[in-house]
Amino acid sequence: MDETVVKWLYTPNCQQEPINLLSKLAVNLPGVIFQVLQRQDGSVFVPYVSSGCQYLYELEPEALQTDFQVLYKLIHPQDIKAFAESIAVCSTTLTPWHWEGRIITRSGKLKWIQGTSQPELQEEGDFLWNGLVMDITERKLAEEKLQESEARYKAILDAIPDLMFRISRDGKYLDLKSQGANVTLSREEIIGKHLQELLPSDVAAISQVAMPTVVTEPSPSAGYAYAKTLDSGTLQTCEYQLSTPLGVRDYEARLVVSGQDEILAIVRDITERKQAEVKLQNLAKKFAKAFSCSPDSITISTLGEGRFIEVNDSFVKLSGYEPDQVIGKTSFELNLWVDDGDRLNLLEELQVTGVVRNLEFEFRQKSGEIITTRVSAEVIDLNGNKSILAVHHDITERKQVEAQLRLCGERDRLLAKTLVRIRSSLNLEQILQTTVTEVRQFLQADRVFIGLNNANLGVRTLAESVDPKYPSVLGWSTNDEAYLQELRNLLKDNLVRVIEDITKISVSPKVKAHSRKFQTKASLAVPIMLDNELFGALIAHQCSGSRHWQPIEIDLLQQMSEQVAIAIQQSQIYQKLAELNTNLEHQVQERTAQLQQKMQEVEKLHRVKDVVLHTVAHDLRTSVMGNLMVLKNLLNQGVGQGDKGTRGQGGQGRIIEEVSPLSPPNAQSPIPHTSLREAAPTATSHSEPVELLSTSAQSPIPVSPSIIERMLQGNDRQLTMINSLLEINSCEKQGIEIKPEPVQFSILLGGIFAQLEPMLTQNQATLKNLVPADLPLVMADGTRLQKVLAHLITHRLQNNPPGLNFILSATVEGGMIRTQIQDDGVVMSKLECDRLFDLHVRDPQDSCSTSIGLKMYLCRKVIKAHGGKIGVITNRKRGLTFWFTLPLTTSSATSRP
């Protein structure tokens, strides 16, 4: 193509005539002609693409000119890298571009393409690519097939272990292939030499004679065999022996024409084959002996007809036929096959696989007896005719033993199922019906039933399983007592009644008539005994004809009768238990009604208790609060008189109300509770008596302030105990409501003990705080926890002299914070420690008052509501240690009753 025409495409005033000429030329080219301008900014402009892109790329030229990047999407993913590298190399070196690769068209076709181009650097620095892309798919496929063919033939050649020589007409070695063969000479020592130079003279002479079989006499002409092969063009074969370092070896040479005056000799070591032939001859002799002496029956017969060719002595003993009665006859003529279809099945298997192993067939002996044999057979070639070599192993006795074992296994399974059914079910009717059904299935009998012998109900059938072809005995009954007694005597006189043919026994006409009515031909009956009394019988009938009952069948019925007796006895016991259970249910119902009545009475008593408790508590609180107010006023008046009226007229003292420490924040108390230590802070500093007015003479009665203070303390304890009792009663009914929230435990404890500081100072007590500041957050109700700590401190202060020392510590253990309050006060016994937080009646001599005991009980309720525990430990030398646990924020913190 004129290069000028192509360059015109990229000229500003390109004429249409060169373009049309180029298009006409490109139509007849087997590929795509293109011109691509690659600018410095990386953009691509396509001035021209021939119409061949429609066939090659399945794209229109306009599509490529619009978006040249669409070509990159067609390139095979495995070839994109090589394509990009080839473009980069050409752009750098300005060398001709040549690339072969694969593309995948939009229709899914895989194509090989070859692209060539010469990049030209333009004045502006752009690259102009003029080139051609051609479809080389067919060439690539042909190359792949050729490579595959060469590889296949090379693999075949390499897999052949034989020596191969190219030999000229005059017997000179031209080439050889010795890979995989045992060759003692090198290639250089063989090529160019003559046969007679390398082989012994006798072997060389033998190898010259091309005969299909081994030639024992050497040929006088060394070139005769090769000439014969070249002249006839047919395969020639000869065998010979050579002495080697491994001993004398046998070889076979096959000669074929491989070129003009050239022969290809394929030499194979056949020493093993020769040795195998000798072994085969020896084996044939051994087979003849094994054939005649084998304890198993061996036959050789024709494949098509099954006509016997040879049989051994064991076959004669097994079949009962003499050899002259068998040889020349077919198995069908001798009527050996019990099922003629077995012979066809054997032939089909042999035709498919050529051999069968351990197939079981039944054969008929000359005497007519049926035997079972295990047959192994193989198709053999006997003088060019296909024959069957078959070995028959008699397994008749083994089959009989297996059948007996199978029956024993089925019997044992049936007995086990019946026993499980009896133990797991109390439905006697279902047990009996299932039993007769399964027994009939095991015995393959025509009828099996269970008969009942009852003095009141007479003789009747409890359950039956019968073949629909024969009449049922279910529902049969008779009032003939003599006949019934005869049936009973038959079972009493014989533990098992076995009748193989009912026509051959002597029985009364009534029994015979009964047998004819129900078509009974053979019978097997086993009595069912309960407490050494005849309860009934388990009976099997054969209606189709006489039957020989096997010992295993008799044993099954005997064991089943025992199981049926157990089931019946179990049913009777269950009936008695049901009656007792009914009576017991009536008694339970009566007792339940009585208990419900008692519970209602107890509930009424509880309601009365609550009413009395609240009424008495209200009256007591009112009275105690009134006493407190009067006593405090009197005590304050005495103090005021002693201070000469400095407190004002009347000497009215302060009354400070305090809600019970463990009352809920929203609890309402109708009567205020006055704290002794706040109401009379100066009472203990004066000893002047207070004058009380007599109600009769209006004369003053002098009373010591200490007596009034003790009266105040007693009333204060009574009021606290009343409040605690009311709160405990509310907790037992509704539970303690807490409002836990995440708090910093060290800060919480610091704030609580800051509020308790006045009480500690008043009792000359000290507190050492060892709680770490970095403890994790806990879930706690701060108000409730403050009152718990106040009660614990108050308990120790009230039961110890002033000057008590406390140590506060806290540790994290198993998702909980364990807090300990240790003191150096008096110790308590283990019994007192164990009962400290319990609700119980206190000993009058107990150091812990009832009021404090109630508060301790409330402390445990609060801690348990938080999800923790509380306790006390007595120290060995001195003091106690209170401890309680609280959950961390990661633990469950639910309200508990």
Side-chain angles (χ1 to χ4, degrees):
M1 183 183 298
D2 191 354
E3 184 179 356
T4 306
V5 176
V6 176
K7 291 185 176 180
W8 279 347
L9 296 174
Y10 185 57
T11 56
N13 299 318
C14 180
Q15 300 297 324
Q16 188 64 33
E17 292 181 2
I19 296 178
N20 293 336
L21 177 60
L22 180 61
S23 299
K24 291 179 181 180
L25 294 174
V27 169
N28 298 316
L29 289 177
V32 178
I33 297 175
F34 66 89
Q35 186 181 62
V36 177
L37 179 64
Q38 184 177 5
R39 298 189 177 95
Q40 287 183 338
D41 59 0
S43 61
V44 176
F45 171 66
V46 183
Y48 178 77
V49 177
S50 67
S51 60
C53 66
Q54 296 175 341
Y55 166 76
L56 184 60
Y57 295 117
E58 298 181 4
L59 296 172
E60 295 295 333
E62 293 78 7
L64 289 177
Q65 290 178 319
T66 302
D67 183 11
F68 186 73
Q69 296 296 325
V70 72
L71 287 179
Y72 286 88
K73 299 178 181 178
L74 300 181
I75 299 175
H76 195 281
Q78 297 179 358
D79 297 340
I80 290 179
K81 182 178 180 181
F83 176 80
E85 290 177 352
S86 66
I87 294 295
V89 170
C90 292
S91 300
T92 304
T93 62
L94 295 179
T95 57
W97 176 69
H98 179 82
W99 177 78
E100 290 184 359
R102 294 164 292 177
I103 62 171
I104 301 176
T105 64
R106 292 184 176 181
S107 62
K109 292 182 180 180
L110 179 66
K111 293 183 179 181
W112 281 89
I113 62 173
Q114 181 186 66
T116 58
S117 179
Q118 176 63 51
E120 297 179 6
L121 182 62
Q122 304 298 308
E123 295 179 356
E124 296 82 0
D126 300 339
F127 284 97
L128 181 65
W129 301 74
N130 299 308
L132 172 66
V133 179
M134 299 183 65
D135 187 352
I136 59 171
T137 304
E138 294 183 359
R139 191 194 78 188
K140 282 291 185 179
L141 294 177
E143 290 176 356
E144 291 177 358
K145 290 181 179 179
L146 181 59
Q147 292 173 357
E148 292 175 359
S149 177
E150 290 178 352
R152 181 167 57 253
Y153 286 121
K154 185 177 184 303
I156 294 173
L157 190 62
D158 292 340
I160 298 175
D162 300 334
L163 278 168
M164 296 184 184
F165 300 96
R166 287 175 49 227
I167 305 174
S168 64
R169 177 183 286 270
D170 57 358
K172 184 179 293 185
Y173 290 102
L174 302 177
D175 196 3
L176 84 155
K177 176 258 176 185
S178 60
Q179 183 179 359
N182 186 14
V183 181
T184 58
L185 298 178
S186 64
R187 179 183 180 88
E188 291 75 13
E189 294 174 327
I190 296 176
I191 302 300
K193 299 295 181 65
H194 196 274
L195 280 173
Q196 294 182 351
E197 294 181 52
L198 299 179
L199 297 178
S201 58
D202 58 339
V203 175
I206 293 175
S207 64
Q208 305 301 312
V209 182
M211 299 290 293
T213 58
V214 176
V215 178
T216 58
E217 297 182 1
S219 172
S221 174
Y224 173 75
Y226 302 102
K228 182 177 180 181
T229 302
L230 289 172
D231 295 341
S232 65
T234 59
L235 173 68
Q236 303 297 318
T237 305
C238 63
E239 296 179 1
Y240 55 93
Q241 288 184 338
L242 283 178
S243 296
T244 68
L246 301 177
V248 178
R249 308 291 293 181
D250 291 286
Y251 294 94
E252 177 190 70
R254 294 175 176 264
L255 308 177
V256 295
V257 177
S258 62
Q260 184 69 26
D261 293 335
E262 183 180 301
I263 293 174
L264 175 65
I266 303 175
V267 180
R268 174 174 298 177
D269 188 343
I270 60 172
T271 305
E272 287 78 8
R273 191 189 77 184
K274 285 294 184 178
Q275 294 172 352
E277 289 176 355
V278 174
K279 292 180 180 178
L280 185 61
Q281 293 174 0
N282 296 332
L283 186 62
K285 296 178 182 180
K286 294 179 181 179
F287 172 76
K289 293 180 180 180
F291 182 83
S292 59
C293 300
S294 173
D296 290 331
S297 168
I298 303 178
T299 63
I300 300 176
S301 58
T302 59
L303 179 63
E305 298 178 308
R307 195 172 300 277
F308 289 103
I309 300 173
E310 190 63 55
V311 296
N312 67 348
D313 294 339
S314 297
F315 176 82
V316 174
K317 295 178 182 179
L318 183 63
S319 65
Y321 291 98
E322 294 298 327
D324 57 348
Q325 296 175 328
V326 176
I327 295 175
K329 301 289 184 65
T330 66
S331 57
F332 293 110
E333 292 174 347
L334 297 175
N335 197 24
L336 293 178
W337 294 93
V338 174
D339 185 358
D340 294 341
D342 290 343
R343 159 77 178 172
L344 298 176
N345 294 335
L346 178 63
L347 288 179
E348 290 178 359
E349 187 72 19
L350 287 172
Q351 289 174 356
V352 174
T353 61
V355 61
V356 296
R357 293 286 184 267
N358 300 325
L359 294 182
E360 295 181 2
F361 297 110
E362 289 184 339
F363 291 97
R364 187 180 293 106
Q365 294 178 323
K366 185 178 180 180
S367 61
E369 186 177 349
I370 305 300
I371 61 173
T372 303
T373 65
R374 176 174 288 173
V375 179
S376 296
E378 187 170 346
V379 177
I380 63 174
D381 188 281
L382 193 62
N383 298 327
N385 298 320
K386 289 187 176 181
S387 303
I388 300 176
L389 173 64
V391 179
H392 306 77
H393 180 67
D394 187 6
I395 59 172
T396 305
E397 293 184 2
R398 196 196 75 185
K399 280 292 183 180
Q400 293 173 351
V401 174
E402 288 179 352
Q404 193 74 8
L405 291 175
R406 185 171 58 256
L407 287 175
C408 291
E410 293 178 1
R411 177 199 62 186
D412 295 341
R413 284 193 295 271
L414 180 58
L415 291 172
K417 287 174 60 179
T418 303
L419 182 60
V420 171
R421 190 182 305 113
I422 291 172
R423 291 179 177 178
S424 61
S425 175
L426 296 174
N427 189 338
L428 180 61
E429 181 179 354
Q430 180 183 3
I431 293 174
L432 298 181
Q433 185 60 47
T434 305
T435 300
V436 296
T437 301
E438 293 183 349
V439 170
R440 188 173 83 86
Q441 182 179 0
F442 176 82
L443 298 178
Q444 295 298 302
D446 297 324
R447 182 190 300 116
V448 175
F449 64 94
I450 297 175
L452 170 67
N453 173 47
N454 188 282
N456 299 324
L457 302 177
V459 176
R460 65 186 182 90
T461 303
L462 295 179
E464 179 193 32
S465 176
V466 62
D467 192 314
K469 296 187 295 184
Y470 302 104
S472 172
V473 299
L474 196 64
W476 173 84
S477 62
T478 181
N479 296 324
D480 190 342
E481 185 60 32
Y483 175 55
L484 295 177
Q485 188 59 40
E486 181 180 2
L487 295 178
R488 297 190 187 101
N489 292 336
L490 290 175
L491 293 174
K492 285 185 177 180
D493 295 340
N494 303 278
L495 293 178
V496 179
R497 183 75 173 177
V498 180
I499 302 176
E500 296 184 351
D501 189 348
I502 203 167
T503 61
K504 296 181 180 181
I505 63 171
S506 58
V507 291
S508 66
K510 293 182 179 179
V511 175
K512 289 184 178 180
H514 183 272
S515 300
R516 287 193 299 271
K517 177 179 180 181
F518 293 103
Q519 304 179 24
T520 305
K521 300 296 190 304
S523 175
L524 176 61
V526 179
I528 300 174
M529 308 298 292
L530 284 181
D531 299 328
N532 297 324
E533 294 292 334
L534 180 65
F535 181 83
L538 176 59
I539 303 170
H541 284 169
Q542 193 70 29
C543 301
S544 58
S546 60
R547 173 170 177 169
H548 173 67
W549 300 100
Q550 300 291 333
I552 190 172
E553 298 172 340
I554 299 173
D555 180 69
L556 171 67
L557 251 67
Q558 287 179 316
Q559 296 194 48
M560 291 300 296
S561 67
E562 296 175 359
Q563 301 300 328
V564 170
I566 294 174
I568 294 173
Q569 193 172 25
Q570 178 178 283
S571 177
Q572 293 176 348
I573 295 173
Y574 173 71
Q575 290 178 356
K576 294 180 182 179
L577 289 176
E579 294 176 357
L580 295 175
N581 186 50
T582 302
N583 296 333
L584 181 61
E585 288 179 355
H586 289 308
Q587 295 177 6
V588 170
Q589 291 176 357
E590 293 176 359
R591 184 61 178 166
T592 302
Q594 295 175 0
L595 291 174
Q596 290 177 348
Q597 183 179 359
K598 292 296 183 181
M599 289 177 63
Q600 292 175 358
E601 293 176 358
V602 170
E603 186 176 355
K604 291 180 180 179
L605 291 176
H606 279 301
R607 288 198 295 268
V608 171
K609 181 211 59 170
D610 292 342
V611 173
V612 172
L613 177 62
H614 284 82
T615 302
V616 173
H618 179 272
D619 293 343
L620 287 176
R621 283 167 59 95
T622 303
S623 175
V624 170
M625 289 298 296
N627 291 339
L628 285 172
M629 293 175 62
V630 171
L631 291 174
K632 289 176 181 178
N633 284 329
L634 290 175
L635 184 61
N636 290 332
Q637 288 178 4
V639 173
Q641 291 175 0
D643 293 340
K644 297 180 180 181
T646 59
R647 288 186 172 271
Q649 187 178 1
Q652 182 66 39
R654 291 185 301 123
I655 300 177
I656 302 176
E657 296 182 0
E658 182 186 68
V659 183
S660 177
L662 292 181
S663 298
N666 58 351
Q668 295 181 355
S669 177
I671 302 174
H673 172 215
T674 306
S675 173
L676 170 63
R677 300 186 183 275
E678 293 180 354
T682 59
T684 58
S685 61
H686 300 274
S687 60
E688 295 183 5
V690 178
E691 295 182 354
L692 300 180
L693 296 178
S694 173
T695 56
S696 58
Q698 298 293 326
S699 60
I701 301 175
V703 180
S704 173
S706 61
I707 296 176
I708 296 177
E709 185 173 358
R710 285 196 297 271
M711 293 175 65
L712 285 171
Q713 292 174 354
N715 282 270
D716 191 39
R717 283 195 299 271
Q718 291 180 10
L719 181 61
T720 302
M721 183 171 60
I722 293 172
N723 290 335
S724 298
L725 286 172
L726 290 175
E727 187 170 1
I728 289 173
N729 184 65
S730 175
C731 292
E732 296 294 337
K733 284 187 174 182
Q734 304 174 3
I736 292 182
E737 181 182 359
I738 63 171
K739 298 179 180 180
E741 58 182 359
V743 296
Q744 188 68 36
F745 193 60
S746 58
I747 298 176
L748 176 64
L749 291 180
I752 292 174
F753 281 102
Q755 298 178 8
L756 297 177
E757 185 64 29
M759 181 173 62
L760 295 173
T761 302
Q762 183 177 354
N763 288 272
Q764 302 176 15
T766 63
L767 174 65
K768 186 177 182 180
N769 190 350
L770 300 180
V771 177
D774 59 347
L775 287 176
L777 299 179
V778 297
M779 297 298 297
D781 185 334
T783 303
R784 293 282 189 184
L785 193 59
Q786 175 184 353
K787 294 174 182 178
V788 169
L789 292 173
H791 289 331
L792 296 179
I793 297 296
T794 301
H795 174 274
R796 295 304 290 159
L797 292 177
Q798 291 185 358
N799 289 278
N800 285 278
L804 199 63
N805 297 313
F806 293 96
I807 298 176
L808 178 65
S809 61
T811 57
V812 178
E813 299 178 1
M816 308 284 284
I817 284 188
R818 180 184 176 93
T819 305
Q820 293 190 155
I821 306 173
Q822 183 180 352
D823 63 68
D824 57 354
V826 298
V827 298
M828 294 173 58
S829 66
K830 185 177 185 305
L831 178 61
E832 290 176 325
C833 290
D834 294 340
R835 299 179 59 185
L836 180 61
F837 295 99
D838 294 338
L839 185 63
H840 64 279
V841 178
R842 306 282 172 171
D843 191 325
Q845 303 301 323
D846 194 346
S847 59
C848 179
S849 66
T850 302
S851 175
I852 293 298
L854 295 176
K855 293 180 180 180
M856 293 295 102
Y857 175 74
L858 289 172
C859 287
R860 186 174 69 177
K861 299 290 284 185
V862 171
I863 295 300
K864 290 181 67 176
H866 278 80
K869 295 180 181 180
I870 190 171
V872 61
I873 303 173
T874 181
N875 300 326
R876 292 183 178 181
K877 295 182 178 180
R878 184 172 181 80
L880 297 179
T881 299
F882 286 108
W883 63 268
F884 61 88
T885 60
L886 294 174
L888 301 177
T889 54
T890 55
S891 304
S892 173
T894 56
S895 297
R896 301 186 182 183

